[in-house]
Amino acid sequence: MTGEPRANLPPLSLHVPEPKFRPGDKAEFSDVIVPPAGSGRRPDPAEPAAQFHELAYGLVRVLDDEGNAVGPWAPRLTPDTLRRMLRYMALVRAFDERMFRAQRQGKTSFYMKCTGEEAVAVAATMALQRDDMTFPSYRQQGILIARDWSLVDMMNQIYSNKGDRLQGKQLPIMYSTREGAFFSISGNLATQYPQAVGWAMASAAKGDTRIAATWCGEGSTAEGDFHSACTFASVYRAPVILNVVNNQWAISSFSGFAGAEATTFAARALGYGIAGLRIDGNDALAVYAATEWAAERARTNQGPTLIEHFTYRAEGHSTSDDPSQYRSANEASDWPLGDPIARLKGHLVRLGEWDDERHAAQDLELAELVKRCQKEAEANGILGHGLHQPLDTLFDGVFEEMPWHLKEQRAQMLAEEEASGRPWALKS
Amino acid sequence: MNMIQAINSAMDVVMARDPDVIVMGEDVGYFGGVFRATAGLQAKYGKTRVFDTPITECGIIGVAVGMGAYGLRPVPEIQFADYIYPALDQLVSEAARLRYRSAGEFISPITVRSPFGGGIFGGQTHSQSPEGIFTHVSGIKTVIPATPYDAKGLLISAIEDNDPVLFFEPKRIYNGPFDGYWDRPAKNWSAHPAGEVPTGYYKIPLGKAAIARAGNDLTILAYGTMVHVAIATVEEAGVDAEVIDLRTLVPLDIETIEASVKKTGRCMVVHEATRTGGFGAELAALVQERCFYHLEAPVERVTGFDTPYPHSLEWAYFPGPVRIGQALKKIMKD
């Protein structure tokens, strides 16, 4: 039943957000406000959250267009550290390129690149301690890489092969390693948010010194878990860093469907009494500085920080996505905040600590490194080439001890395989 | 002790032994819970081990999963099982699967306590029995006590278990056993042998059923409040029924069930939850698969109806002695 409009009142209308550009349009970003690098105030980490609202609506930037690191947020890293950061980011990109191609060659079912977002995970990880616990989403492979995690181990997981520590039980790229302080990735969105807060609360309750950090996309901030997590983080002043990676697109839904037309994502923090920072996510030094600031805040019992990383997803959502179907062709190339690797490289060049030749040589070296690792991982098998785990591992780990009904089902499965005559049935 | 006191005692005993056990939930701290199940624990163990939470079930369980991953043993309370649905994703997709998806690197040793079931004029939002939703999920255990003695021993086992456990507390029998007649005076646990609860540490293993009443002519499978309703009904009807209190639905004690049905040749399943797709259907299927040639009558299901839980017509909905009695006549006539 619909109501007839009353003659003396204007009819209501429903606003449905629409991105400014679609395929065929030329994207043009003059409306994106990019404040000068160095213009954002850097409060003391102990300052109450209510006193720096402008940082939740502005955009903290450190690297200017000429490659200088300017302003109060400039983290003053040594050239060695900057080169290490650049190398990790370039390695993430080389890894992504190789694994994307591996998926296209049919060696695995699925892959997700983080092209254009390399700074978000790499620089943040470098500002954390090695044993700080991370609760990532699916586009933070840079955490593992910046922790010098074995690329072969990551690839084994992507291939679900016999070297896969997760026994082929997870989708590719859904890494998990306790030793790497990298929490098991879930495909359900933002579920890691309250979990990170819980881990941080536990650490605080036990008088530990470790903090937690978590990442979600801007689209996931619409999930209830995000808001529950913010409430808990605020209420108990949990030592946690809540990162929102605003890469503009949640598959084909632009950030407007998560509320970006009305406010910033960093401003979500304000209503919770959480410190909110909106930063240039393509500026590795801004990411580093904000994370370092938030970590100090957490470590000194001043509570949580929510950091919005304003960035751009330069590639598709995953190998199952075709972004040319829903967004303008030149968006990625014309993104006003540039490419994070090129910007950090430019900074090092400006400092006289890097040059094009070294960069090109490093790219070659990293491509070779990834290729070597890929060969090593593929020696353990690729998805689809037979079964890599003993069949009965299918039933391992549902419970600590296997109950009778799973034992019966395991026996049934083994009998089925025996009857099938398939070659792998004989293996186990 | 009554069941509430036994549950309180279980948490007290475990918290005293293990500093990693923490209790959290709406109103559980200073006030001690709306049913008083956590009374006195905050005063004894402090605010960082027993604390109130915001009213967000998804947050409570998500935070508990994170605490469990850290190495604690959280015992979150969901104030009424009817409110567990906002936490469903954290339970089903996260807690239940964490061990599996991380190949054992991360676990969820959490015990979610929640009062469930009807018979207290709680209407649609304070009466539901959602156990069937969770027994359908791989990786989570479901425990339902029927007596104070069991409640304490099972809860200690659940808290010490390294898997996620849902501990559903039948609130109709918190204060005393209930025979299914809502207009009769309530009984007290003090006059019941299972109300004798030791103050110290003891465990009842998960996955082991109890024979609540021995008998030869019929097996009744029940849990929680329905154990008491079934016993009262068969005794009034003069049927020599064996009543099995399942105690845990997952893992299920199939041996006890199978042995009993093969002995009696008849089986009835009783639960308060709605009928379609309920745990009774699973039990009936298992009995049919394993005991078909011993059965002298079809397996009967006595359950709540497939409607939302009503308020004023609660006693027409509730599977009480009349409904069980009619099913008894049907199953015993051959």
Side-chain angles (χ1 to χ4, degrees), chain A residues 133 165-167 169-170 176-178 182-186 188 191 194-195 197-199 201-203 205-206 208 210 224-225 228 231-232 235-236 393-401 403-405 408, chain B residues 19-20 24 48 51-54 56 58-60 62-63 65-67 69-72 89-90 93-94 96-103 105-106 138-141 162-163 250-254 286 290:
Chain A
M133 189 68 190
R165 61 169 60 241
L166 306 184
Q167 302 176 323
K169 285 169 171 161
Q170 263 282 36
S176 168
T177 154
R178 193 178 179 86
F182 187 100
F183 190 72
S184 159
I185 295 176
S186 177
N188 294 31
T191 52
Q195 293 163 2
V197 174
W199 196 97
M201 287 171 64
S203 183
K206 295 300 275 186
D208 200 335
R210 293 173 295 165
D225 297 64
S228 298
T231 302
F232 267 82
V235 166
Y236 302 98
T393 59
L394 176 69
F395 292 89
D396 290 347
V398 179
F399 295 104
E400 187 174 35
E401 283 173 35
W404 64 271
H405 64 286
E408 282 192 1
Chain B
D20 289 335
M24 57 190 279
T48 56
F51 55 85
D52 294 329
T53 62
T56 156
C58 141
I60 292 169
V63 161
V65 169
M67 290 179 155
Y70 178 90
L72 302 186
D89 186 45
Q90 284 288 348
S93 311
E94 303 297 317
R97 291 190 207 152
L98 189 54
R99 178 193 294 280
Y100 193 77
R101 79 179 194 216
S102 71
E105 287 198 344
F106 295 102
S138 311
I140 201 156
K141 294 176 176 172
N162 285 328
D163 292 313
V250 177
L252 185 69
D253 182 355
I254 193 67
L286 282 169
R290 285 160 193 266

Side-chain angles (χ1 to χ4, degrees), chain B residues 289-332:
Chain B
E289 282 169 3
R290 285 160 193 266
C291 310
F292 183 75
Y293 294 107
H294 297 80
L295 288 175
E296 289 165 39
V299 179
E300 272 294 315
R301 276 189 291 167
V302 180
T303 68
F305 296 129
D306 287 342
T307 67
Y309 207 100
H311 184 232
S312 70
L313 298 179
E314 174 170 58
W315 295 108
Y317 177 94
F318 195 87
V322 174
R323 196 172 310 154
I324 299 177
Q326 295 205 335
L328 274 178
K329 278 186 199 145
K330 190 172 161 199
I331 198 169
M332 297 305 295

Side-chain angles (χ1 to χ4, degrees), chain B residues 34-64:
Chain B
V34 292
F35 289 103
R36 316 299 299 145
T38 55
L41 296 178
Q42 187 180 72
K44 197 162 172 184
Y45 298 104
K47 285 198 297 184
T48 56
R49 291 188 64 196
V50 184
F51 55 85
D52 294 329
T53 62
I55 305 177
T56 156
E57 288 78 11
C58 141
I60 292 169
I61 302 303
V63 161

Side-chain angles (χ1 to χ4, degrees), chain A residues 85-285:
Chain A
M85 192 181 273
L86 182 68
R87 182 183 168 83
Y88 285 140
M89 286 163 60
L91 181 53
V92 170
R93 193 164 290 182
F95 185 89
D96 274 358
E97 283 302 320
R98 197 86 203 164
M99 289 295 99
F100 184 87
R101 254 191 295 159
Q103 191 276 340
R104 288 294 188 245
Q105 291 163 345
K107 292 174 176 174
T108 189
S109 57
F110 180 76
Y111 192 75
M112 297 177 105
K113 290 170 126 180
C114 68
T115 312
E117 301 173 40
E118 291 88 349
V120 171
V122 167
T125 304
M126 289 180 69
L128 294 171
Q129 296 292 321
R130 175 63 173 69
D131 56 356
D132 286 334
M133 189 68 190
T134 59
F135 289 78
S137 175
Y138 43 66
R139 225 180 287 282
Q140 282 80 49
Q141 52 268 56
I143 296 171
L144 287 172
I145 286 180
R147 284 182 169 172
D148 298 310
W149 198 255
S150 154
L151 301 184
V152 177
D153 186 81
M154 293 169 74
M155 290 171 176
N156 286 339
Q157 201 279 320
I158 290 164
Y159 290 135
S160 281
N161 63 21
K162 69 174 188 235
D164 176 11
R165 61 169 60 241
L166 306 184
Q167 302 176 323
K169 285 169 171 161
Q170 263 282 36
L171 267 176
I173 66 98
M174 302 253 177
Y175 315 105
S176 168
T177 154
R178 193 178 179 86
E179 194 194 330
F182 187 100
F183 190 72
S184 159
I185 295 176
S186 177
N188 294 31
L189 298 178
T191 52
Q192 72 276 16
Y193 248 63
Q195 293 163 2
V197 174
W199 196 97
M201 287 171 64
S203 183
K206 295 300 275 186
D208 200 335
T209 57
R210 293 173 295 165
I211 63 172
T214 184
W215 288 259
C216 76
E218 88 283 350
S220 310
T221 62
E223 293 283 2
D225 297 64
F226 173 85
H227 300 276
S228 298
C230 287
T231 302
F232 267 82
S234 168
V235 166
Y236 302 98
R237 285 189 210 155
V240 65
I241 303 173
L242 307 164
N243 295 286
V244 175
V245 185
N246 177 4
N247 69 9
Q248 315 300 323
W249 292 93
I251 308 187
S252 73
S253 299
F254 86 116
S255 58
F257 284 103
E261 286 183 340
T263 185
T264 70
F265 294 97
R268 297 265 189 276
L270 301 179
Y272 293 101
I274 293 176
L277 299 176
R278 186 163 177 269
I279 67 163
D280 176 350
N282 288 12
D283 176 345
L285 296 188

Side-chain angles (χ1 to χ4, degrees), chain A residues 61-72:
Chain A
R61 303 176 70 234
V62 171
L63 289 172
D64 69 15
D65 294 344
E66 283 73 48
N68 302 301
V70 294

